[in-house]
Amino acid sequence: TFDAKLVVDPVVLNGTGDVPGYVVSADGASHPINCESLKGNYYGHSLGTIDYTSRAADAKPLEIKASAYVISDDGGEIIPPIVGPDGSIWLKHNLGADYITVGNPYFNPDADAGVDDIHAYGNLWQWGRKSDGHQLIAHQDAYSATAVHPETVATKSDVPASAVFITSDDDWRMNGNDLLWLNADTENQVCPSGWRLARDDEWFSINGGNDSNGINGSFAPPAFLQLSRAGSRVGAVGAVTGQGGVTDYWTSTVRNGQANALRFWGYTGKNDSTFQSSTKANARPIRCRFDK
């Protein structure tokens, strides 16, 4: 085993530059490091490499890295975090967007997204279902898209055996489970480790202005998230529709068996967003929030 601690000197992080620090090993030795600019270093900038004694024949030096980006658990997506007006931290892009998909010709995590930017649309998930392939969408242009995998009218399944889209008028599961996606550790979580879907009240706290009716009324969408009109997939028939139009983003909130979604019309500075109840068989885009 190797015991060490990372020490960062107390500095005020109010600009750009280096963060001085060092690694202290168990024997008290200090190993200086220096954190340079992290932008563009998608898989992390090396803070330092430490040689240590190990009995393993294939032992390698311990490398400590820092990154300004969030990397998905399978390494297939790299996304910048952004901070909301209330201090909450969100991912800049929809899950599955071209801009964050490693190997995609449009890969550019730092890109700003427009409302009808197909490279920001991403995929569409049935509520509470894991990323098993059913969510994959191919976008042709801002207003048309097709599903990568077909729909099925087969029996509902709590643990689908394939990537087919399960059609239903209510839930894709045989046994409803309102706790899926509740937090970062619940079953079927699709966000990166440490991230989760936000509750509807957390979405409301970052809105761009609201009326006197609070969460039950209309409000301006959060402009800093640069939401896009990614459309949906209809649970009852499996049709992919609505690209370039009104789009509902899943929340983790469930009431009376229906999942709540933030309705995004594509306008900023206008009180036209609301929360909509939706059957869990519908498929919608996902934006993740840091679990704190």
Side-chain angles (χ1 to χ4, degrees):
T1 61
F2 179 79
D3 295 321
K5 63 180 179 180
L6 177 64
V7 179
V8 177
D9 290 346
V11 294
V12 178
L13 303 178
N14 57 3
T16 61
D18 299 342
V19 178
Y22 51 93
V23 172
V24 178
S25 56
D27 60 4
S30 177
H31 307 268
I33 58 175
N34 197 38
C35 181
E36 299 176 356
S37 174
L38 298 178
K39 187 173 183 179
N41 292 298
Y42 299 128
Y43 285 102
H45 176 80
S46 179
L47 296 179
T49 302
I50 303 171
D51 291 313
Y52 61 98
T53 302
S54 174
R55 296 178 181 176
D58 58 350
K60 298 180 180 179
L62 174 66
E63 184 177 19
I64 299 176
K65 290 184 176 182
S67 176
Y69 301 85
V70 176
I71 302 174
S72 64
D73 295 355
D74 63 1
E77 294 182 338
I78 299 176
I79 322 109
I82 52 177
V83 180
D86 62 347
S88 59
I89 304 173
W90 300 68
L91 294 184
K92 183 176 180 178
H93 294 290
N94 294 350
L95 292 188
D98 292 344
Y99 287 138
I100 64 172
T101 302
V102 176
N104 188 287
Y106 294 95
F107 177 75
N108 181 10
D110 296 312
D112 291 327
V115 292
D116 296 329
D117 184 346
I118 64 171
H119 305 302
Y121 281 178
N123 293 319
L124 305 171
W125 280 258
Q126 295 186 293
W127 193 94
R129 188 170 171 181
K130 66 182 180 179
S131 299
D132 54 13
H134 82 281
Q135 77 280 1
L136 299 176
I137 301 295
H139 298 280
Q140 279 73 53
D141 55 46
Y143 305 102
S144 60
T146 58
V148 173
H149 296 289
E151 63 276 356
T152 178
V153 293
T155 305
K156 300 177 184 180
S157 176
D158 292 344
V159 184
S162 69
V164 296
F165 185 92
I166 299 175
T167 57
S168 171
D169 290 326
D170 45 54
D171 199 336
W172 57 272
R173 291 175 58 93
M174 292 183 294
N175 303 291
N177 185 346
D178 293 348
L179 301 180
L180 297 174
W181 290 358
L182 181 63
N183 56 52
D185 299 320
T186 47
E187 189 178 359
N188 289 3
Q189 184 57 255
V190 295
C191 294
S193 296
W195 297 76
R196 59 175 172 80
L197 276 74
R199 303 186 305 270
D200 55 11
D201 64 299
E202 291 172 326
W203 274 100
F204 184 71
S205 70
I206 59 169
N207 70 69
N210 61 83
D211 59 25
S212 59
N213 293 323
I215 197 170
N216 295 317
S218 60
F219 50 89
F224 81 98
L225 282 182
Q226 301 177 10
L227 299 177
S228 59
R229 298 191 287 195
S232 65
R233 192 171 184 185
V234 183
V237 295
V240 180
T241 185
Q243 284 68 37
V246 178
T247 295
D248 294 345
Y249 280 76
W250 281 131
T251 80
S252 63
T253 302
V254 178
R255 295 187 178 92
N256 301 317
Q258 299 265 305
N260 245 14
L262 170 88
R263 175 149 292 181
F264 175 63
W265 290 78
Y267 306 106
T268 57
K270 182 178 178 181
N271 288 355
D272 59 9
S273 290
T274 56
F275 289 105
Q276 301 291 321
S277 294
S278 174
T279 59
K280 296 176 182 176
N282 290 325
R284 309 196 182 285
I286 287 178
R287 186 66 65 93
C288 300
R289 183 186 190 276
F290 186 60
D291 187 35
K292 69 171 184 176

